Each structure stands twice: as structure tokens, then as C-alpha cells.
Amino acid sequence: MRDILLQRKKSKLSDEDLRQKLKSGTSATRADLRKSLTDKRPSVFRRVNVILGGSPVCNSSVKAIKEYQRKAVSAHRWPAKREVETPIAFSELDLTDIDHPHNDPLIVELQIDTCEVSRVLVDTGSSVDLIFRQTLIKMLVDLKEHQKPSSRALTGFNGSSTTLLGTIRLNVFVGGVSKLIKFSVIDTVTQYNAILGTPWLHSMKAVPSTYHQCVKFSTKEGKSSRSLGTNDWLEVC
């Protein structure tokens, strides 16, 4: 095997040539070849870093970002003691009634304020919780009374920005747990009624799984609960 690999290096044999050359080899030789071909990986010659366009926690100011960074470093060096909670895990039992394979987003139905709201997208890539103006109108929420103005702009992954109409605080109920959530209000056409991002997920200490089509979290009693995804996104809005 070593002689063949050395010969490959000198003569620059292609993978296909190497496969043909070792086709009649022993089972051990074929196993070594399979591992060699599987482990092939190009050398790293460039690094792509993360581009972060501001965080709700930092309010996008340089001073706040530096303070947030110092807290993150301190938390890493001197971790605080935390209470042991019920472990959250997913299993094959969570795949009941789910057609596989699928590429479905995680859509849930839950209570926001006094309304049952369907087509709510759970998005781990969103650093804000969004609710749309048309949704609030359907919920009969008095925007003039409850909405606070905001001039902040939201930036998408492609660099495009949308200016907020304002912010509004609404209670979100799921699995017997209630959280007062600060929603950013925007006016745009979408198939969703709201988008729950990392602020809601982290406040709930919830773990979503698009594969298992559910969100799991711990209740006040310390038990594990879950909110099932729906297929409302397939319906015509």
C-alpha cells in the first residue's frame, strides 16, 4: 500500500487511476484505500470570519459592544454556578407522524396576548423577535397605544435593511409558560404572522429541532415540555 501511494505521489495518479490500480488488492488494501480517499481534504489557505452588524444586547454602539465582549470573556474565565435542570434530549419517538426526508422549517402555533396565532416561524438565525403590522391589526391591537417608536434598522443576510415601525411588548404563552416578549414591528408582505428568534428561545431556555419538528423546554415544575411544529406554512395565506 505504501509503495502504491508513493508511486501515486511521484506520478500524480488521479483517484480513478488509483482505484483501478488497487482494484485487485486485498481487503486490507481496499480498506486503506477507502480511508485514504475519504480523509482527503484540501489545505486551508484562507479564513472567513463572521460579519456581525450589531446586536440588540449591545444596542450597536462601540462602547456597548466592548462591554459585552468583556462580560463574555469574564463568563468564560470565571463561569457562574448554575442549577441543574432537566436535560433536554430528542429521540426517534419525536419523529412520530413526521414524513421523512423533509426540509420543512419549524412553524408553531401558540398564544400571543389573547390570540391563538398560527404560522409562527422559529428562527435561530434571527437575533430579534419580529411581529408584522398586519398580524397586530388582525389581533385588534391598538398600535397607537401600545407601540413604541423606533428608528432602528434591521439588516438581512444580504445586507438589505428594513426600518422598524416600532416595538411592542406582548405576552407569549406556550406549554404553561408565559414570557413578556419585546417584538420589533415591521410592515412587509410575508407568509408568517411572527418570527421568534434567539431572544424568545433563550428566555425560554428552549431547544428547537427542525429535524424533529418541535421545540423543547423545561416547565416551572422542572419537567420537559415540547411544542410541536405544524404544516400551516403549506397553506395558502
Side-chain angles (χ1 to χ4, degrees), residues 130-193:
L130 296 175
I131 195 165
F132 302 96
R133 183 173 180 273
Q134 287 301 317
T135 303
L136 294 173
I137 292 175
K138 291 178 182 178
M139 293 172 60
L140 303 180
V141 174
D142 189 340
L143 297 180
K144 293 182 179 180
E145 180 181 353
H146 298 287
Q147 180 178 293
K148 293 184 178 180
S150 174
S151 59
R152 185 183 171 198
L154 297 179
T155 304
F157 70 92
N158 60 350
S160 61
S161 60
T162 302
T163 304
L164 300 183
L165 296 179
T167 60
I168 189 170
R169 294 183 181 272
L170 298 170
N171 284 301
V172 176
F173 303 88
V174 57
V177 180
S178 172
K179 294 291 182 181
L180 183 62
I181 300 301
K182 179 181 179 181
F183 285 95
S184 297
V185 183
I186 59 176
D187 188 9
T188 186
V189 178
T190 176
Q191 60 179 321
Y192 307 119
N193 285 316

Side-chain angles (χ1 to χ4, degrees), residues 5-237:
L5 291 176
L6 287 175
Q7 182 180 355
R8 179 197 183 192
K9 185 175 181 181
K10 292 179 181 178
S11 60
K12 297 183 179 180
L13 292 175
S14 65
D15 291 340
E16 185 59 32
D17 293 336
L18 188 58
R19 289 190 181 93
Q20 293 296 329
K21 194 174 185 65
L22 296 179
K23 189 174 182 180
S24 59
T26 64
S27 58
T29 300
R30 288 194 293 270
D32 290 339
L33 172 61
R34 190 177 298 109
K35 185 177 185 304
S36 175
L37 294 174
T38 303
D39 292 348
K40 276 200 343 175
R41 180 179 176 180
S43 301
V44 176
F45 64 94
R46 183 176 301 171
R47 178 182 177 84
V48 179
N49 290 311
V50 175
I51 301 175
L52 180 64
S55 167
V57 179
C58 304
N59 296 320
S60 300
S61 70
V62 175
K63 182 178 179 180
I65 290 174
K66 289 183 177 180
E67 179 62 24
Y68 183 72
Q69 185 178 21
R70 282 193 291 268
K71 289 181 179 179
V73 172
S74 298
H76 178 72
R77 292 180 178 176
W78 302 284
K81 293 183 179 180
R82 299 187 181 276
E83 297 181 1
V84 179
E85 299 181 351
T86 304
I88 295 177
F90 297 89
S91 69
E92 294 298 314
L93 296 176
D94 295 307
L95 299 177
T96 305
D97 299 329
I98 297 178
D99 184 34
H100 281 274
H102 74 83
N103 293 311
D104 299 344
L106 181 52
I107 310 295
V108 297
E109 180 178 306
L110 40 74
Q111 182 179 342
I112 301 178
D113 201 32
T114 59
C115 299
E116 287 289 338
V117 181
S118 62
R119 299 199 310 274
V120 177
L121 173 67
V122 178
D123 184 8
T124 59
S126 175
S127 59
V128 293
D129 297 315
L130 296 175
I131 195 165
F132 302 96
R133 183 173 180 273
Q134 287 301 317
T135 303
L136 294 173
I137 292 175
K138 291 178 182 178
M139 293 172 60
L140 303 180
V141 174
D142 189 340
L143 297 180
K144 293 182 179 180
E145 180 181 353
H146 298 287
Q147 180 178 293
K148 293 184 178 180
S150 174
S151 59
R152 185 183 171 198
L154 297 179
T155 304
F157 70 92
N158 60 350
S160 61
S161 60
T162 302
T163 304
L164 300 183
L165 296 179
T167 60
I168 189 170
R169 294 183 181 272
L170 298 170
N171 284 301
V172 176
F173 303 88
V174 57
V177 180
S178 172
K179 294 291 182 181
L180 183 62
I181 300 301
K182 179 181 179 181
F183 285 95
S184 297
V185 183
I186 59 176
D187 188 9
T188 186
V189 178
T190 176
Q191 60 179 321
Y192 307 119
N193 285 316
I195 297 177
L196 291 175
T198 53
W200 177 78
L201 286 169
H202 293 176
S203 68
M204 290 284 294
K205 298 181 182 179
V207 181
S209 173
T210 55
Y211 179 75
H212 297 89
Q213 283 293 289
C214 64
V215 181
K216 289 195 173 185
F217 53 90
S218 295
T219 63
K220 294 179 180 179
E221 292 77 20
K223 298 180 180 179
S224 177
S225 181
R226 70 173 183 164
S227 177
L228 295 176
T230 68
N231 287 328
D232 287 347
W233 66 281
L234 294 173
E235 298 177 1
V236 178
C237 301

